[in-house]
């Protein structure tokens, strides 16, 4: 089937560019974990993972920066999908895996995040059934108030006991930054200090875990501001976990200027074919509820994409699309499967023309722009593009 009513164009070369730009700013010895959870932030986890691991992302400043060193997913099923599609590199499950899925963790050689003694014991029991050692990363809660061991004496005892289990290979230890995407770094530095204290306490108990990681896209961006090499190294550690910036966006609007030197390139566009063009007189109601009434003789184009495709109904007010090089406002309420745009000021629009619903910052229709209109974040815009929208890779 060649006809596409709507499609998401994913530029894998842009993802490779973003990876290379990030790696060129890392301290030698710091590896990168490419985060491909949520189907690669909506871009397609398998093609993105293949691009990240392809070794085609070399930055001139860093000849060793050819690819990501590991991948991160949120849930077991995402890791299994990557394995079943031929991805062989290290994969860390960063979230919770229910006990019935632990056999899949073992079978597919996935590294599991451990954040409780109970969870570690369950994984060890499963490993014993397979007579197989399995890789784990210890999660520390330094202020996200989500998953993770709290920095207490009881936790240190539990972690040391986990590390002593011959069936559990503790390959890594990490924490997650709660406010790293803010210019105010005061709480980020508190989390850093707490994590360093945990590492010191464990070291004094004879436990030195090889792969330490803390920095997400936000914390990595903070290192672009800091000229103190010691402070940079304290944040970057052995791994950085990069998600949103791989896909071409700063971790928050607040950090946009900080990320300018990276030259990030958004990797996704959402497009649709114009399905109909009609002329209407003034005072014609458009779409459900007639929330839009024409104030002049108007030309209205219909696009076969709606909120079921991830184009939010809330864009009915203030949304714009690009057709034939010009912006056209949404006209009326966005429907489940269609939306209408006012192309009165764009002569020559006809069925079959291509409309860009998600595109560039310069056009005002990037994921950040749409997020600003909707009062959300770019992550939600990208992840929200629906499954019935095919991804076409360029």
């Amino acid at each position: 089937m060649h006809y596409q009513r709507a499609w998401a164009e994913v530029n894998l070369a842009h993802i490779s560019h973003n990876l290379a730009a990030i790696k060129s700013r890392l301290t030698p010895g710091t590896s990168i974990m490419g985060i491909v959870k949520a189907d690669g932030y909506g871009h397609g986890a398998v093609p993105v993972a293949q691009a990240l691991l392809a070794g085609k992302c070399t930055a001139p400043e860093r000849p060793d920066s050819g690819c990501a060193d590991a991948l991160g997913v949120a849930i077991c099923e995402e890791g299994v999908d990557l394995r079943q599609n031929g991805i062989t590199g290290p994969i860390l499950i960063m979230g919770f895996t229910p006990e019935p899925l632990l056999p899949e963790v073992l079978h597919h050689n996935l590294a599991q995040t451990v954040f409780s003694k109970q969870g570690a014991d369950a994984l060890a029991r499963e490993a014993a059934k397979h007579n197989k050692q399995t890789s784990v990363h210890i999660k520390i809660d330094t202020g996200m108030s989500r998953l993770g061991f709290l920095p207490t004496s009881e936790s240190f005892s539990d972690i040391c006991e986990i590390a002593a289990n011959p069936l559990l290979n503790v390959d890594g230890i990490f924490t997650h930054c709660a406010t790293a995407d803010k210019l105010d770094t005061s709480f980020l530095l508190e989390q850093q200090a707490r994590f360093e204290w945990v590492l010191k306490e464990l070291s004094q108990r004879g436990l030195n875990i090889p792969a330490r990681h803390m920095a997400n896209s936000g914390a990595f961006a903070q290192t672009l501001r800091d000229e103190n090499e010691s402070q940079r190294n304290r944040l970057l550690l052995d791994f950085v976990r990069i998600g949103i910036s791989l896909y071409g966006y700063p971790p928050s609007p607040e950090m946009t200027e900080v990320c300018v030197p990276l030259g990030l390139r958004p990797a996704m566009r959402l497009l649709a074919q114009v399905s109909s063009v009609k002329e209407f007189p003034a005072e014609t109601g458009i779409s459900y509820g007639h929330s839009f009434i024409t104030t002049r003789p108007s030309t209205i184009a219909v696009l076969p994409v709606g909120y079921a495709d991830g184009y939010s109904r809330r864009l009915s007010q203030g949304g714009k699309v690009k057709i034939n090089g010009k912006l056209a406002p949404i006209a009326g309420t966005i429907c489940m499967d269609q939306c209408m745009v006012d192309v009165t000021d764009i002569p020559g629009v006809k069925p079959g023309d291509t409309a860009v619903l998600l595109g560039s910052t310069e056009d005002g229709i990037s994921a950040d722009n749409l997020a600003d209109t909707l009062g959300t974040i770019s992550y939600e815009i990208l992840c929200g593009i629906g499954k019935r929208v095919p991804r076409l890779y360029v």
Side-chain angles (χ1 to χ4, degrees), residues 144-197:
M144 186 70 180
S145 306
R146 205 168 59 178
L147 298 181
F149 287 97
L150 292 170
T152 65
S153 297
E154 181 182 359
S155 293
F156 297 144
S157 297
D158 286 345
I159 292 169
C160 288
E161 189 173 339
I162 291 167
N165 191 316
L167 294 169
L168 302 178
N169 187 18
V170 181
D171 290 325
I173 183 168
F174 71 105
T175 193
H176 193 59
C177 303
T179 63
D181 59 352
K182 295 182 178 296
L183 292 175
D184 180 355
T185 61
S186 54
F187 190 71
L188 172 63
L189 296 179
E190 283 187 38
Q191 286 195 269
Q192 181 186 53
R194 291 172 188 171
F195 191 50
E196 290 174 343
W197 179 72

Side-chain angles (χ1 to χ4, degrees), residues 21-304:
I22 291 163
K23 294 207 77 172
S24 72
R25 300 297 185 115
L26 295 180
T27 301
T30 298
S31 299
I32 188 167
M33 182 180 294
I35 306 304
V36 294
K37 62 181 180 176
D39 197 28
Y41 288 46
H43 294 67
V46 172
V48 169
Q50 291 169 339
L52 293 176
L53 298 175
K56 299 178 180 178
C57 313
T58 302
E61 303 86 346
R62 287 287 303 277
D64 63 333
S65 65
C67 58
D69 303 282
L71 301 172
V73 297
I75 59 175
C76 175
E77 295 93 326
E78 293 175 333
V80 171
D81 182 57
L82 291 175
R83 289 286 191 244
Q84 290 177 338
N85 282 278
I87 303 300
T88 59
I91 299 173
L92 173 64
I93 302 169
M94 298 181 293
F96 167 65
T97 298
E99 285 195 37
L101 288 179
L102 292 180
E104 298 295 321
V105 174
L106 273 294
H107 178 71
H108 292 283
N109 294 314
L110 304 171
Q112 175 63 51
T113 290
V114 169
F115 51 86
S116 70
K117 180 66 164 53
Q118 179 184 6
D121 289 344
L123 183 59
R125 288 194 298 271
E126 190 61 40
K129 295 177 185 177
H130 297 263
N131 192 28
K132 181 179 182 180
Q133 189 181 59
T134 188
S135 174
V136 300
H137 285 223
I138 303 295
K139 178 76 176 287
I140 305 296
D141 182 2
T142 60
M144 186 70 180
S145 306
R146 205 168 59 178
L147 298 181
F149 287 97
L150 292 170
T152 65
S153 297
E154 181 182 359
S155 293
F156 297 144
S157 297
D158 286 345
I159 292 169
C160 288
E161 189 173 339
I162 291 167
N165 191 316
L167 294 169
L168 302 178
N169 187 18
V170 181
D171 290 325
I173 183 168
F174 71 105
T175 193
H176 193 59
C177 303
T179 63
D181 59 352
K182 295 182 178 296
L183 292 175
D184 180 355
T185 61
S186 54
F187 190 71
L188 172 63
L189 296 179
E190 283 187 38
Q191 286 195 269
Q192 181 186 53
R194 291 172 188 171
F195 191 50
E196 290 174 343
W197 179 72
V198 168
L199 295 176
K200 180 180 177 182
E201 289 293 315
L202 291 175
S203 180
Q204 290 177 350
R205 289 164 170 78
L207 181 57
N208 293 288
I209 300 172
R212 306 157 301 155
H213 45 115
M214 175 178 181
N216 53 8
S217 291
F220 164 74
Q222 296 291 354
T223 68
L224 303 177
R225 304 171 63 195
D226 197 338
E227 296 180 358
N228 184 314
E229 185 174 352
S230 174
Q231 175 61 24
R232 289 183 73 249
N233 292 344
R234 288 172 61 200
L235 277 173
L236 297 177
L237 297 173
D238 301 300
F239 266 95
V240 294
R241 304 185 307 272
I242 306 295
I244 191 66
S245 293
L246 284 176
Y247 304 101
Y249 287 92
S252 69
E254 196 170 334
M255 298 292 285
T256 298
E257 290 302 315
V258 174
C259 292
V260 165
L262 294 174
L264 296 175
R265 299 175 183 173
M268 180 190 288
R269 297 198 304 161
L270 176 63
L271 305 101
Q273 284 197 7
V274 173
S275 55
S276 171
V277 180
K278 290 183 181 179
E279 305 289 339
F280 293 102
E283 298 185 6
T284 300
I286 306 296
S287 193
Y288 288 118
H290 284 185
S291 60
F292 178 86
I293 307 291
T294 59
T295 59
R296 57 177 177 168
S298 300
T299 306
I300 302 297
V302 180
L303 306 180

